[in-house]
Amino acid sequence: MKRFLLPLAMVMLGCSVGLAAGDDLKEKVSSSVSGTVTTWRIYRPVISQPEKNYTKIKYEEGDVITLEASGCDQTGGHGKTWKRYVDPQGPNADRLYHGLIEMRGVTDKFKASPTGKKGLVRILDTGLKNISTGLFRGEFVVGDLSKVPEKDRYLRLGFEDDDYSDNGYMDRNSDDGTGDQCKDLGTSYVVLTIDTKNEKHSAAAKGKKGKEKKGKEAESPAPTK
């Protein structure tokens, strides 16, 4: 896991200082590759619409996915309007303001968002470990994708709200959100690392080949003398 520490630390450092004056408020997506690991960084994920497809962020069965999410976003309205992206607090946070995710073969087993688009689940409900206030991280192995077309094997993010028109990342100033939930937290981000070849992946692949080989041997006729 050490190979993930530098990229994640860099992202966390960039998000810990919040938005600087004149900073671009739009989403930024970047990626880097190191050996078999591809790291995707989504800074300021879109929250002004119910969902967004990231068709370039693809994965395959057996890949090991490390997901990290943290930070805060501005949900509009009056008063203190910033909330944590993964585990928002305050009025209506029981049904709104959560960051959502879908990755077929990964998130299918988790309960669906009560208000989000079909297939999306709350990042909070995927069993990630709460590393520190507002920061969550976890690892998954992509499961059976035999019924998922290759074109549908991509990351999908979403957001819960009843009015998307005034959401964004503007006007942070001294707004630390309801109950100061965003104090010492920067802007929302998601980091996804996809490892295509590792011990777990190799073991799964060998297991499949072993079963296929045994099956073929069982079907072969006995040698004649």
Side-chain angles (χ1 to χ4, degrees), residues 5-224:
L5 294 180
L6 180 58
L8 294 177
M10 290 172 65
V11 172
M12 290 169 63
L13 179 61
C15 293
S16 65
V17 297
L19 294 176
D23 191 22
D24 181 4
L25 301 179
K26 295 182 179 180
E27 177 187 67
K28 290 185 178 180
V29 180
S30 63
S31 65
S32 61
V33 179
S34 178
T36 62
V37 178
T38 301
T39 300
W40 289 91
R41 303 173 185 84
I42 303 171
Y43 183 40
R44 295 187 291 264
V46 173
I47 60 170
S48 58
Q49 59 193 49
E51 62 180 328
K52 181 177 179 180
N53 296 333
Y54 296 81
T55 56
K56 291 184 178 181
I57 304 181
K58 304 182 77 69
Y59 54 90
E60 295 296 336
E61 183 174 332
D63 289 353
V64 173
I65 307 292
T66 301
L67 172 65
E68 177 175 307
S70 184
C72 287
D73 45 66
Q74 195 270 110
T75 59
H78 303 283
K80 293 189 174 183
T81 59
W82 283 73
K83 296 177 180 66
R84 294 205 290 254
Y85 179 66
V86 181
D87 59 335
Q89 311 293 306
N92 299 318
D94 59 329
R95 63 185 185 87
L96 300 175
Y97 313 132
H98 294 79
L100 308 175
I101 188 171
E102 182 189 41
M103 294 183 73
R104 303 287 298 278
V106 175
T107 60
D108 312 70
K109 62 182 179 181
F110 301 110
K111 66 178 181 180
S113 160
T115 60
K117 291 288 187 178
K118 184 178 180 180
L120 290 167
V121 303
R122 291 175 173 175
I123 295 175
L124 182 65
D125 290 339
T126 60
L128 302 184
K129 184 177 180 180
N130 190 186
I131 306 300
S132 60
T133 301
L135 172 61
F136 294 79
R137 188 183 303 147
E139 183 180 280
F140 309 90
V141 178
V142 180
D144 181 18
L145 293 178
S146 60
K147 297 181 180 181
V148 182
E150 187 173 348
K151 65 181 181 63
D152 295 331
R153 301 174 186 179
Y154 57 80
L155 172 69
R156 183 173 165 231
L157 293 180
F159 193 72
E160 295 174 336
D161 207 347
D162 52 7
D163 181 4
Y164 294 90
S165 64
D166 52 0
N167 292 353
Y169 296 96
M170 69 293 288
D171 302 326
R172 176 66 183 266
N173 299 322
S174 59
D175 184 355
D176 281 330
T178 307
D180 288 338
Q181 62 184 283
C182 292
K183 187 176 182 179
D184 299 325
L185 284 177
T187 304
S188 302
Y189 72 89
V190 173
V191 177
L192 197 74
T193 61
I194 304 172
D195 192 346
T196 59
K197 288 183 180 179
N198 52 51
E199 294 180 3
K200 292 181 181 179
H201 194 164
S202 298
K206 288 180 180 179
K208 284 188 175 182
K209 289 180 180 179
K211 290 180 181 179
E212 291 174 358
K213 186 176 181 181
K214 288 181 180 179
K216 289 180 180 179
E217 289 176 349
E219 294 172 0
S220 299
T224 56

